[in-house]
Amino acid sequence: MNTFKRITGLALAGAMTFSLFTGCSKTDEFRYSDYLTEEGFFKEVDPAEYVTLPEYKGIEITEDILTASDESIQEKIDEVANANAESLEITDRAVEDGDTVNIDYVGSVDGEEFEGGSTEGNGTEVTIGVTSYIDDFLEQLIGHKPGENFDIEVTFPDEYSNNPDLEGKDAVFNVTINHIVEQKVPTIDDAYIKENLSDQYESLEDMKAQFRSEIIESQRQNYVWNYLTENSEVKDPPEKLIEFEKNVMLSYYESMVLQWGMDFETYLEYIGVESKDAFVEESMEEITTNAKNTLMVQAIAQAEGLKVEEEDIKNYFGVDDYSEYEDAYGIEYLRLAIMQDVVMEYVLENTVEA
């Protein structure tokens, strides 16, 4: 039951969730285990002192939650179709507004090529009306055909932080259109499933049945999570929990941008935040919410004597050997994160149909 994986900066039941298990902590001198007991609870913090829980046994699940609409099932089928779309290289028509186009270009100012103004023959894909280029660069592609080579004239903006030397200058880009990119989306039917997805589905009806079950289960989980968060009363968390959640968030983002080949300071500059402290300040409401949610989960676990067993950890990661994660985060943090799954499993098992 991995739907409720631990996240930072977003409500657990939100549409955009991400697991923190993506990289090691990079925040200076921050160790998850310093804050946690071996069982995954916060050291020297009694969650019952901070949380007044609602009645969480016997939550009523109404019929609408146990129903998946045809539209929602079709949306998931469409997602499968789009994920399996074939990318085609079109060369026999002119470029139109909204097209995705593969192009090469070399830019120059006063006849001199400038750094960063060329694709160096590697080609790049742009979508007219979506991709952001200077001036009306992309709009000037409209009407030209693949194979054509021509010049585009543009003017750099008066303020151009990417290269201040180009601010306000006229430039010429020699452009070659390589091809237009079109996506051929397959029709998902029994024949397509038999040929391409038989390891997952027996037929279109089987696919629909699986999607129906997934949608209903997701709705149940979201309803129960929202019920718990909306009806629990949680006092302001102790400062050590806020510090913990702050460091968890920073560790996540530092690891994430490192995978992009970027340091955290550059990332902050890119998103227009002046400092790490400012980044934390802007995220403080979400950090506090996450700390409160963690206290709520731990309060239920404590009240019911729930523990994260080794089998729970294996199921969470889908592997028998989770030593890579234990080495990176420590068993304490794994148990804290997975406690969420264990608690939700317990509460869901104790729901009743209205």
Side-chain angles (χ1 to χ4, degrees), residues 100-348:
T100 296
V101 187
N102 186 289
I103 61 174
D104 278 300
Y105 55 78
V106 177
S108 60
V109 172
D110 296 330
E112 296 291 330
E113 296 180 15
F114 55 87
E115 185 177 355
S118 171
T119 60
E120 298 181 352
N122 295 319
T124 187
E125 286 190 6
V126 295
T127 301
I128 302 171
V130 176
T131 309
S132 179
Y133 267 42
I134 62 169
D135 209 352
D136 60 347
F137 184 108
L138 296 183
E139 286 71 19
Q140 294 186 57
L141 302 177
I142 295 172
H144 292 280
K145 292 184 176 181
E148 284 190 44
N149 177 269
F150 53 94
D151 288 340
I152 282 177
E153 297 182 358
V154 296
T155 301
F156 282 94
D158 293 334
E159 294 184 5
Y160 188 63
S161 59
N162 290 344
N163 188 343
D165 292 339
L166 297 175
E167 290 179 350
K169 293 186 177 180
D170 295 329
V172 175
F173 284 86
N174 182 255
V175 176
T176 299
I177 297 179
N178 298 319
H179 55 263
I180 300 166
V181 181
E182 287 187 0
Q183 298 297 316
K184 182 181 179 182
V185 180
T187 298
I188 304 299
D189 54 19
D190 286 343
Y192 183 85
I193 289 172
K194 182 177 180 180
E195 184 175 351
N196 300 280
L197 302 171
S198 59
D199 59 330
Q200 301 175 61
Y201 312 103
E202 294 179 0
S203 63
L204 180 58
E205 283 306 309
D206 180 48
M207 174 184 280
K208 289 180 177 179
Q210 290 191 43
F211 286 162
R212 181 176 290 106
S213 296
E214 291 173 10
I215 291 167
I216 291 172
E217 183 60 22
S218 176
Q219 290 172 172
R220 288 180 69 242
Q221 291 175 346
N222 287 336
Y223 178 79
V224 167
W225 179 258
N226 289 334
Y227 174 90
L228 292 174
T229 56
E230 290 171 6
N231 292 282
S232 296
E233 296 180 12
V234 187
K235 299 177 183 177
D236 288 340
E239 188 57 37
K240 68 164 66 174
L241 265 69
I242 298 298
E243 181 182 271
F244 174 83
E245 295 294 349
K246 178 193 74 173
N247 283 314
V248 167
M249 179 196 69
L250 290 174
S251 293
Y252 170 79
Y253 279 103
E254 288 171 349
S255 174
M256 178 183 69
V257 302
L258 203 61
Q259 295 178 38
W260 297 347
M262 183 187 301
D263 60 59
F264 192 58
E265 288 68 26
T266 303
Y267 172 72
L268 292 178
E269 182 179 346
Y270 176 76
I271 63 174
V273 178
E274 62 183 21
S275 66
K276 184 183 289 188
D277 288 342
F279 183 77
V280 170
E281 185 61 31
E282 289 184 9
S283 306
M284 190 52 67
E285 182 178 349
E286 294 171 343
I287 289 171
T288 302
T289 296
N290 207 50
K292 287 183 175 183
N293 289 343
T294 302
L295 280 171
M296 179 196 69
V297 167
Q298 295 199 348
I300 297 174
Q302 179 176 269
E304 299 300 332
L306 302 175
K307 296 182 180 180
V308 176
E309 307 292 351
E310 183 176 9
E311 198 62 30
D312 296 317
I313 304 175
K314 291 179 179 179
N315 290 338
Y316 186 94
F317 291 111
V319 295
D320 287 335
D321 181 9
Y322 54 84
S323 58
E324 174 187 357
Y325 302 101
E326 184 175 354
D327 291 343
Y329 300 96
I331 194 66
E332 301 88 351
Y333 183 69
L334 299 193
R335 290 193 172 120
L336 176 142
I338 297 166
M339 192 179 297
Q340 213 153 252
D341 275 22
V342 172
V343 166
M344 282 298 299
E345 190 80 50
Y346 177 83
V347 177
L348 284 163

